[in-house]
Amino acid sequence: MSRSLDTYVTLGRSGLRVSPLALGTMTFGTEWGWGSEEQVARAVFDKYIDAGGNFVDTANVYTEGHSEELVGKFIQDRGLRHRVVLATKFTFNADPGDPNAGGNGRKNIHRAIEDSLRRLNTDYIDLYWLHAWDTVTPVEEVVSTLNDLIRAGKIRHYGFSDTPAWYVARAKTIAEKEDKDGLIALQLEYSLLERNIEREHVPAAQELGLGITPWGPLAGGFLTGKYKQKGDSGEGEGRLEIAKNAGNPIFQRFTARNWEILKVLLDVAKQINRPLSQVALNWVVTQPGVTSTIIGASKLSQLEDNLRYAEFEIPAELRTRLDEVSAIEASHPYGFLTPPFQGWISGGTGLQPWSAARTYAPPAREVFGAKAAAAE
């Protein structure tokens, strides 16, 4: 069931209450060659708040720090600091050439939090995200450092973004074993184009009591339909066009598989008389395990359109079409989770998997689509 912005939900197994849509502010500022000037960014911020939203997400590297400055200014101007759930991130390097100005080690985390607090003009962060796994810092150091920040009153909670599920599980387990505050949420890419978190992260989050906060539900604007296929690539006005040759995989959306998904989305949206963006966003928000989905907008009209995502439900038969065209492959070892193998394991007794009693136990059709289901 879709939810309006002022239908607040707790983020993971915590007491932090957030809106089902979070306002992403990567578009606040034009330093990256796209985004919005201060006046437009303020209008987007005000519209989100006035609609009942309370969850604002930024990062220390967004538009070279300008995003944090604008978010801090907008919150202060309206006297909203205690009402807004403010989230920012650390990890990416702030001073090329200095190896300790990036990563997830204690030295960089302390540097990053002080810089973010200054730019945001606040004494504390409600939710501090590890932005990405740096592949080297021991998880014990990360958990210990973030606990120190909670004890110092500089952050209230923390979460992990773009991190392997095994690392997440170790962090949560170590925190529980050592009686420390554990992470409460995961921020991960999730859309009709990118569903790989269904393999490990969604089950892990539900087992460990973590909220899932997807980013990129519209795949950088690809799922709005504003880009058109051109040969083996595509074209249109927006960040995907500007950055398609930049080498950043996040912006490499013009693939044969993605165009096929877009065709089905176009047909589904036409049948229910809704814009593509609303249908794509509705699909993500109503997926199992999702708590609060991050949306961004460089124009007020984009935000206004996205806020209408909760006015409808996708009919089951049309949702099945979206599920099947976007399904991920049943790669090893996930094929062993499908009915033939599970039947051999249970001896044909019909034993329910451990997850059957949980909130969500994804059957093969939902995880891998028609190919795996055909083997049932």
Side-chain angles (χ1 to χ4, degrees):
M1 177 68 70
S2 300
R3 303 186 296 262
S4 59
L5 282 189
D6 58 359
T7 305
Y8 306 107
V9 291
T10 54
L11 188 58
R13 198 172 293 150
S14 78
L16 189 64
R17 295 167 173 82
V18 298
S19 298
L21 291 184
L23 180 63
T25 63
M26 181 187 285
T27 57
F28 283 19
T30 59
E31 284 77 4
W32 287 349
W34 45 266
S36 54
E37 299 284 356
E38 180 174 341
Q39 183 178 1
V40 176
R42 184 186 291 273
V44 168
F45 176 87
D46 287 342
K47 178 66 177 181
Y48 172 79
I49 295 295
D50 292 342
N54 77 334
F55 192 9
V56 180
D57 184 85
T58 185
N60 61 345
V61 294
Y62 288 172
T63 56
E64 301 173 12
H66 194 198
S67 174
E68 284 190 329
E69 292 174 350
L70 290 176
V71 169
K73 183 177 182 180
F74 299 160
I75 290 174
Q76 182 181 39
D77 288 351
R78 292 193 53 170
L80 296 172
R81 183 61 196 92
H82 295 299
R83 172 174 176 157
V84 167
V85 175
L86 178 59
T88 192
K89 312 177 191 70
F90 67 90
T91 294
F92 288 100
N93 200 288
D95 184 14
D98 178 0
N100 288 308
N104 302 326
R106 182 174 286 110
K107 182 175 176 64
N108 181 56
I109 292 177
H110 279 277
R111 178 207 60 78
I113 189 67
E114 296 301 334
D115 287 349
S116 287
L117 290 173
R118 173 179 51 81
R119 283 190 292 264
L120 289 162
N121 193 25
T122 185
D123 296 327
Y124 69 98
I125 304 299
D126 293 296
L127 179 61
Y128 202 33
W129 294 107
L130 179 151
H131 205 156
W133 185 40
D134 66 4
T135 75
V136 295
T137 305
V139 67
E140 294 86 353
E141 182 175 339
V142 174
V143 171
S144 175
T145 303
L146 293 172
N147 267 259
D148 288 345
L149 294 184
I150 290 176
R151 299 294 175 267
K154 294 185 178 182
I155 68 173
R156 300 294 187 256
H157 300 277
Y158 67 93
F160 286 2
S161 176
D162 307 323
T163 306
W166 69 264
Y167 195 86
V168 170
R170 273 188 55 81
K172 185 67 172 177
T173 302
I174 287 170
E176 291 176 348
K177 179 177 179 294
E178 298 184 356
D179 197 26
K180 293 180 178 178
D181 289 288
L183 69 159
I184 65 169
L186 302 178
Q187 184 177 142
L188 302 157
E189 183 178 7
Y190 195 32
S191 72
L192 283 166
L193 302 192
E194 178 51 71
R195 296 179 57 184
N196 282 299
I197 67 169
E198 293 174 10
R199 301 185 193 277
E200 295 278 356
H201 291 82
V202 172
Q206 293 184 312
E207 172 67 12
L208 299 173
L210 306 175
I212 296 178
T213 303
W215 61 265
L218 302 182
F222 183 90
L223 295 174
T224 68
K226 66 180 180 180
Y227 297 98
K228 306 302 178 184
Q229 188 171 6
K230 184 179 181 181
D232 294 332
S233 185
E235 61 181 7
E237 294 185 5
R239 75 180 77 169
L240 296 186
E241 175 68 24
I242 295 171
K244 66 181 180 181
N245 297 318
N248 187 332
I250 293 175
F251 299 115
Q252 308 306 306
R253 305 295 190 181
F254 302 146
T255 68
R257 174 182 178 273
N258 291 350
W259 291 119
E260 186 61 30
I261 293 172
L262 185 62
K263 289 179 184 177
V264 175
L265 178 62
L266 279 163
D267 187 57
V268 169
K270 182 179 180 180
Q271 290 195 52
I272 60 179
N273 195 30
R274 286 285 175 174
L276 274 70
S277 58
Q278 291 180 16
V279 178
L281 182 57
N282 184 294
W283 182 90
V284 172
V285 172
T286 55
Q287 282 292 97
V290 171
T291 300
S292 182
T293 302
I294 298 174
I295 57 170
S298 56
K299 300 176 182 178
L300 183 59
S301 59
Q302 293 173 343
L303 178 66
E304 291 173 335
D305 181 68
N306 290 338
L307 292 182
R308 300 185 64 190
Y309 84 98
E311 295 178 351
F312 65 99
E313 293 186 24
I314 303 172
E317 65 277 12
L318 296 182
R319 191 180 189 98
T320 297
R321 289 187 60 197
L322 293 173
D323 290 344
E324 293 186 346
V325 73
S326 64
I328 53 178
E329 293 295 326
S331 59
H332 182 78
Y334 306 101
F336 282 83
L337 305 181
T338 57
F341 288 98
Q342 291 302 307
W344 298 332
I345 291 171
S346 67
T349 60
L351 181 68
Q352 287 188 322
W354 66 270
S355 54
R358 302 315 202 262
T359 305
Y360 173 58
R365 181 177 298 277
E366 290 190 24
V367 177
F368 304 120
K371 291 183 180 178
E376 295 182 10

